[in-house]
Amino acid sequence: MSVLFGCGFFLNDRMRRQEFKDRLGREILVLDGAMGSMLQGHLAPGKAPEELNLLKPGIVQAVHENYVEAGADIIITNTLGGSRIKLDEFHLGHLVHDINFQAVKIARLAAGDRVLVACSVGPSGKFLEPLGRLTFDEALENFYEQAQALTEAAPDLIILETMSDIREARAALIAVREVFPGPVIALMTFADGFNTVTGTDAATAVTVYQALGADVIGANCSTGPEEILNVLTVMAEQTDLPLCVEPNAGIPFFKRGKTVYPASPEYMADYAEKFARLGVNIIGGCCGTTPGHIRRIAGRIKPLKPVFRSIPRQTRLASRDRTVTIQDGKPTIIIGERINPTGRKKLAAELAAGQTDLLRQEAVRQVKAGAQILDINVGAPGVDEVEMMGKAVEFVQRAVSVPLSLDSSNPSVLEAGLKEIEGKALINSVTGEEKSLRSILPLAKKYGAAVIGLTLDEGGVPATAQERLKIARRILKRALREGIAKEDIFIDTLTLAVSTDPTMGQETLKALRLVKGKLGVKTVLGVSNISFGLPQRSLINVQFLGMALSHGLDVPILNPYDERIQGTLTGSDVLLGRDLGATNFISRFGNLEFKEKSVPAEKNEKPVDKRLFDAILYGDKNSIENLVKEALDGGKSPISLNQEVLIPALNEVGRRYDAKEYFLPQVILSAEAMQLAFSLIKEHLDFVESRSKGRIVFATVKGDVHDIGKNIVIAVLESYGYPVIDLGKNVETGRIVQVAMARRAQLIGLSALMTTTMMEMGNVVKLVQKKKCPARVMVGGAVVTPRFARQIGAHGYAKDAMEAVKVVKELIG
């Protein structure tokens, strides 16, 4: 077998990545299988598998060699948890360089000149703000340090694995791309075959990873090959990039005291063939797969040839859990313009004060009115734009699930927003000025954003369409040179007020047609600028919008509240063949009388209990204290606030979670807002009322140092009023039962993330029975199943935080 890179020598960046892509066009490559489960027998409880790279390198090398002999074309280093944050849990953070560098050396010895060496980079185990305390810069530095150590050892590839948070995945890929010049494989893990635990779907993962420059995209881990096949099916329809898959060998269970994975080598090979025929280029295994599995997979897929997939590149933007495609011949996508303090004193004052309530309300209202993308501009006197842009992005993303356009010409302001972005953003904007091109385009490339180019330069806005076309061509050329894909480049031919020069509207339209016809890029216009200084501005705006759409406008920036605008937009789509069968038009206006104009007033007319309800629903902690005070001062009783506002708000969060309208991020943020609200009113509650719910002791079991899942469950339970005693992670069995009895707990909650520590849950149950402890036991964690819970005699099982609330209610009321 020919080897692409062999000894890890760095070729020219672009050449090396192209050679890898060419090889994937000729053959389907086989990845190795699990590393962690293969090393389990050599690990003491509570120890990191990565430490074996230093203590017992021969054992790690033997695992690699077994996979090479089984037919793997790529072996993956023992570095999944090799970042500083992850190693710090085992007091090994000071050994980041040594552990990662040594891992590559071990793998290289096993690989020889026969197979490729890929370096594994996994999640930190911490949530980024606002879900956790980790900042984006800290995450970036964490992955950058690991990537540097790996790169120094000259591997062939780097592979991001088991990522469930798209924002953390962005940080990891950006960091790796800063350091490593070779091919990068970027994978995510999906909880149910459709979404990650933080809500990201397969199409959005593709959109974000592709924009950030991944060479191969795919999925790993999850629940097994059956459900992960759904994910790869979607990915195969969304991108022409090579695909990679590493499914688990099913969900493990215990049999006679041993961890057993249900998927046999033959079963995994059957699915490997399905993946190959779908168009997947690299196939291996994750948890529970062994050299036996890989041998059977290799035997089945190596005779096959890669399936050629021709997928046209589309212009896409994304939030955490929604992708918006801007496509010729499809209904027009609009950008809402209302988060802009220009001429809006109340919004400007709120931004200057660092408040976000009106900003959040505008975001929600615009999306309800039909905006599919929201423009965010925070430029106003007295506003710290850098700080406020990051804050605005954070709070808008809490409130709505649409992509964002960051509106500023200041690189520092844009970067602050880009760090907070959870998907793929649009930068508004870059100009033809050299200073702007040098500072803005590299940001778009680094953070995987699309960009709007304004047709102005050092000489200002040209008077003629031809001159604007020249600037547009210059911006396009520079953006392509920077590595930004053509489908991610928008051109704004600039709307100027006809009140000062009647020819400006005509030149803008001419420029639109020229840019669309000669450059073939997407176009953007701020529609309402055309009528500045005139009465009845809406009348001018709607006429100009219809003309602009007929001249090639793809994405208008406008006020979505104006029904005249909405009517012109949807009507133009029908006439231009963008709304076949007039489906959207009929849906919007079929049963409505046309309104002259509808622009909601800025004045906040909602009653305080409704505003408090919304603040909890959208996780707006900033507003909670003032709203609770206003409600109490207005005569609301603490009990009525709790029963009529707080609990119903959280119940609505639960309903949205069950309906997959909300995901883990929204649940956590709402739970935190609820906790804050409850903490402010509980001192006013009757003593009996505040102690009416049963006490819970919670712990991650002995030998397990993972606590992120436990912490999420605790946060949600506390927000429902359950007092929880958190014993932390790696807790001795005796201490768990001792505390439960001493504190008269009604329930013990146990978490485990590793198959090696699951059995400690059974030991806790046995000790509870032996000591005649009255507490009931609820278990959960990534590797825990209902079957296992029954086997050990637990009273309840919860797969996630919201289910934990239901189980607790059943067990202790």
Side-chain angles (χ1 to χ4, degrees):
M1 181 190 304
S2 64
V3 174
L4 183 59
F5 310 125
C7 298
F9 296 120
F10 285 114
L11 305 176
N12 173 273
D13 179 3
R14 192 169 297 175
M15 182 189 305
R16 185 180 190 196
R17 293 166 68 184
Q18 186 59 47
E19 287 190 17
F20 182 61
K21 183 178 179 180
D22 290 344
R23 181 175 176 184
L24 294 179
R26 299 190 302 269
E27 57 182 306
I28 300 173
L29 300 183
V30 178
L31 271 174
D32 63 10
M35 173 61 72
S37 54
M38 295 293 291
L39 296 175
Q40 282 180 6
H42 305 281
L43 280 175
K47 294 295 183 180
E50 292 78 14
E51 191 174 12
L52 293 179
N53 296 338
L54 303 179
L55 300 181
K56 298 179 180 180
I59 291 172
V60 179
Q61 184 175 337
V63 174
H64 287 316
E65 289 172 345
N66 287 337
Y67 282 124
V68 173
E69 294 303 318
D73 300 303
I74 305 171
I75 56 175
I76 303 175
T77 58
N78 180 33
T79 54
L80 179 70
S83 68
R84 180 175 291 272
I85 291 174
K86 199 69 177 172
L87 290 175
D88 273 343
E89 295 181 352
F90 303 92
H91 309 292
L92 298 172
H94 61 292
L95 296 175
V96 171
H97 178 273
D98 294 350
I99 284 174
N100 285 279
F101 189 87
Q102 180 70 6
V104 181
K105 287 180 63 179
I106 294 169
R108 185 64 68 196
L109 288 172
D113 60 357
R114 296 177 292 172
V115 303
L116 303 177
V117 171
C119 293
S120 176
V121 173
S124 67
K126 305 289 185 183
F127 273 131
L128 275 69
E129 294 177 336
L131 306 182
R133 297 181 178 179
L134 189 66
T135 68
F136 186 85
D137 283 336
E138 288 169 344
L140 204 64
E141 179 58 35
N142 177 64
F143 292 117
Y144 185 86
E145 181 185 24
Q146 184 183 12
Q148 276 188 313
L150 294 171
T151 301
E152 187 180 328
D156 299 305
L157 314 164
I158 285 183
I159 179 169
L160 308 184
E161 299 183 284
T162 325
M163 293 288 178
S164 60
D165 178 3
I166 193 65
R167 190 159 172 241
E168 182 180 36
R170 288 182 73 239
L173 187 48
I174 289 168
V176 168
R177 271 277 161 253
E178 287 279 303
V179 179
F180 182 65
V184 177
I185 302 172
L187 311 180
M188 292 203 80
T189 181
F190 292 81
D192 57 3
F194 299 98
N195 301 89
T196 70
V197 294
T198 59
T200 299
D201 61 289
T204 297
V206 168
T207 298
V208 175
Y209 276 157
Q210 185 165 291
L212 287 169
D215 298 282
V216 181
I217 295 172
N220 80 297
C221 202
S222 304
T223 57
E226 314 97 296
E227 289 189 344
I228 214 170
L229 183 63
N230 298 329
V231 173
L232 269 297
T233 300
V234 173
M235 289 183 169
E237 296 169 348
Q238 295 290 322
T239 182
D240 59 354
L241 286 179
L243 298 175
C244 174
V245 67
E246 301 176 69
N248 279 356
I251 297 294
F253 61 93
F254 270 87
K255 186 176 182 180
R256 297 172 186 171
K258 293 184 178 180
T259 304
V260 177
Y261 284 84
S264 67
E266 187 64 27
Y267 181 83
M268 294 291 282
D270 288 343
Y271 271 93
E273 186 171 345
K274 292 179 182 179
F275 286 123
R277 298 195 184 283
L278 183 65
V280 180
N281 307 82
I282 306 173
I283 303 172
C286 202
C287 303
T289 52
T290 67
H293 289 86
I294 299 306
R295 183 174 291 106
R296 191 62 59 90
I297 289 171
R300 186 74 67 87
I301 67 172
K302 283 194 175 181
L304 304 178
K305 292 295 182 183
V307 174
F308 176 72
R309 290 178 293 109
S310 178
I311 310 295
R313 291 288 180 99
Q314 300 288 350
T315 299
R316 294 189 178 104
L317 301 174
S319 63
R320 176 186 287 272
D321 55 13
R322 182 185 303 179
T323 292
V324 170
T325 302
I326 300 163
Q327 191 173 356
D328 293 341
K330 299 294 182 181
T332 302
I333 302 296
I334 64 174
I335 300 177
E337 68 180 5
R338 297 287 292 173
I339 301 178
N340 188 327
T342 303
R344 303 183 63 201
K345 293 181 180 180
K346 186 174 180 179
L347 180 58
E350 183 175 277
L351 294 176
Q355 298 300 309
T356 58
D357 190 48
L358 183 57
L359 183 148
R360 172 175 54 78
Q361 291 181 45
E362 285 286 10
V364 173
R365 289 204 298 252
Q366 285 188 97
V367 172
K368 286 182 179 179
Q372 296 104 318
I373 302 166
L374 295 184
D375 192 70
I376 298 181
N377 185 316
V378 295
V383 176
D384 182 337
E385 286 190 60
V386 173
E387 180 181 350
M388 196 63 216
M389 178 59 87
K391 194 173 186 178
V393 169
E394 175 191 328
F395 277 84
V396 170
Q397 288 178 150
R398 292 186 188 191
V400 295
S401 292
V402 298
L404 303 181
S405 169
L406 308 185
D407 191 349
S408 177
S409 59
N410 185 326
S412 298
V413 174
L414 290 171
E415 187 160 26
L418 289 167
K419 288 179 179 180
E420 295 297 325
I421 285 292
E422 296 174 341
K424 178 183 176 183
L426 176 62
I427 290 176
N428 182 14
S429 53
V430 67
T431 71
E433 298 171 281
E434 183 59 31
K435 180 181 178 181
S436 178
L437 294 169
R438 284 201 314 266
S439 59
I440 305 297
L441 293 180
L443 284 179
K445 175 61 179 175
K446 177 179 179 179
Y447 290 97
V451 63
I452 296 174
L454 305 184
T455 53
L456 65 87
D457 58 14
E458 290 82 356
V461 181
T464 69
Q466 287 290 347
E467 290 171 318
R468 295 186 202 182
L469 175 64
K470 288 180 182 178
I471 296 175
R473 183 175 280 117
R474 186 192 318 151
I475 294 172
L476 175 61
K477 183 177 179 181
R478 287 289 292 274
L480 292 173
R481 189 193 308 170
E482 189 67 37
I484 300 170
K486 187 175 182 179
E487 63 269 16
D488 288 338
I489 302 166
F490 295 72
I491 294 296
D492 185 339
T493 57
L494 296 174
T495 307
L496 301 178
V498 292
S499 59
T500 58
D501 186 343
T503 66
M504 284 297 96
Q506 300 172 51
E507 290 302 319
T508 295
L509 296 174
K510 289 178 186 176
L512 262 181
R513 187 177 291 278
L514 286 172
V515 166
K516 191 70 178 174
K518 293 184 177 295
L519 303 185
V521 295
K522 293 292 185 286
T523 56
V524 175
L525 273 184
V527 173
S528 59
N529 294 340
I530 196 73
S531 61
F532 184 79
L534 295 174
Q536 295 295 320
R537 294 182 62 186
S538 179
L539 294 175
I540 299 291
N541 293 344
V542 297
Q543 297 298 325
F544 182 66
L545 173 62
M547 297 171 72
L549 289 169
S550 70
H551 278 69
L553 174 61
D554 292 298
V555 186
I557 303 174
L558 47 76
N559 176 4
Y561 305 146
D562 191 331
E563 284 295 325
R564 282 196 179 111
I565 287 283
Q566 293 286 2
T568 299
L569 182 74
T570 51
S572 295
D573 277 352
V574 173
L575 297 174
L576 294 171
R578 301 182 69 126
D579 183 13
L580 298 179
T583 304
N584 285 353
F585 185 85
I586 294 171
S587 174
R588 187 174 186 95
F589 294 109
N591 297 313
L592 293 176
E593 292 184 9
F594 189 76
K595 299 176 183 179
E596 284 282 322
K597 190 176 181 182
S598 176
V599 181
E602 277 195 9
K603 184 178 179 181
N604 193 343
E605 298 176 351
K606 289 184 179 179
V608 65
D609 54 349
K610 176 57 178 172
R611 282 181 279 141
L612 181 56
F613 182 96
D614 286 348
I616 292 169
L617 186 64
Y618 297 114
D620 185 0
K621 291 190 293 184
N622 272 20
S623 303
I624 291 292
E625 186 171 356
N626 289 336
L627 291 171
V628 168
K629 185 177 186 302
E630 182 181 342
L632 293 175
D633 291 346
K636 290 280 186 180
S637 73
I639 290 178
S640 68
L641 273 184
N642 188 44
Q643 294 180 347
E644 298 171 13
V645 179
L646 306 191
I647 293 300
L650 211 56
N651 286 340
E652 174 61 13
V653 172
R655 185 200 68 76
R656 293 188 182 196
Y657 180 83
D658 289 340
K660 293 192 179 297
E661 297 170 19
Y662 268 19
F663 294 93
L664 190 57
Q666 293 97 330
V667 170
I668 294 174
L669 293 171
S670 293
E672 289 176 348
M674 170 70 173
Q675 280 182 288
L676 177 58
F678 188 76
S679 71
L680 293 170
I681 69 169
K682 70 179 181 181
E683 61 189 68
H684 303 282
L685 288 172
D686 180 83
F687 181 73
V688 175
E689 170 74 13
S690 67
R691 291 192 56 197
S692 62
K693 294 192 174 182
R695 186 178 288 113
I696 302 170
V697 168
F698 230 112
T700 302
V701 296
K702 179 183 176 182
D704 203 316
V705 296
H706 303 89
D707 64 355
I708 190 167
K710 170 182 68 66
N711 295 342
I712 293 166
V713 174
I714 289 172
V716 175
L717 285 173
E718 287 182 336
S719 69
Y720 272 87
Y722 291 99
V724 179
I725 302 163
D726 182 8
L727 298 183
K729 55 193 176 185
N730 191 20
V731 183
E732 292 284 345
T733 297
R735 182 163 180 258
I736 295 172
V737 179
Q738 180 185 18
V739 172
M741 295 180 72
R743 301 295 297 272
R744 298 182 181 180
Q746 282 76 36
L747 185 101
I748 295 172
L750 301 175
S751 175
L753 194 66
M754 301 162 61
T755 55
T756 52
T757 59
M758 288 169 64
M759 282 308 296
E760 285 298 325
M761 291 179 164
N763 293 336
V764 174
V765 173
K766 289 177 183 176
L767 190 59
V768 164
Q769 296 168 345
K770 180 180 178 180
K771 296 287 186 179
K772 294 183 170 34
C773 174
R776 296 191 165 197
V777 180
M778 177 182 71
V779 298
V783 294
V784 181
T785 63
R787 177 180 178 180
F788 173 73
R790 291 192 298 270
Q791 285 178 332
I792 65 172
H795 301 93
Y797 159 80
K799 67 178 180 179
D800 54 43
M802 294 309 293
E803 187 170 306
V805 174
K806 297 176 183 177
V807 173
V808 170
K809 286 181 179 178
E810 292 172 1
L811 293 179
I812 65 173

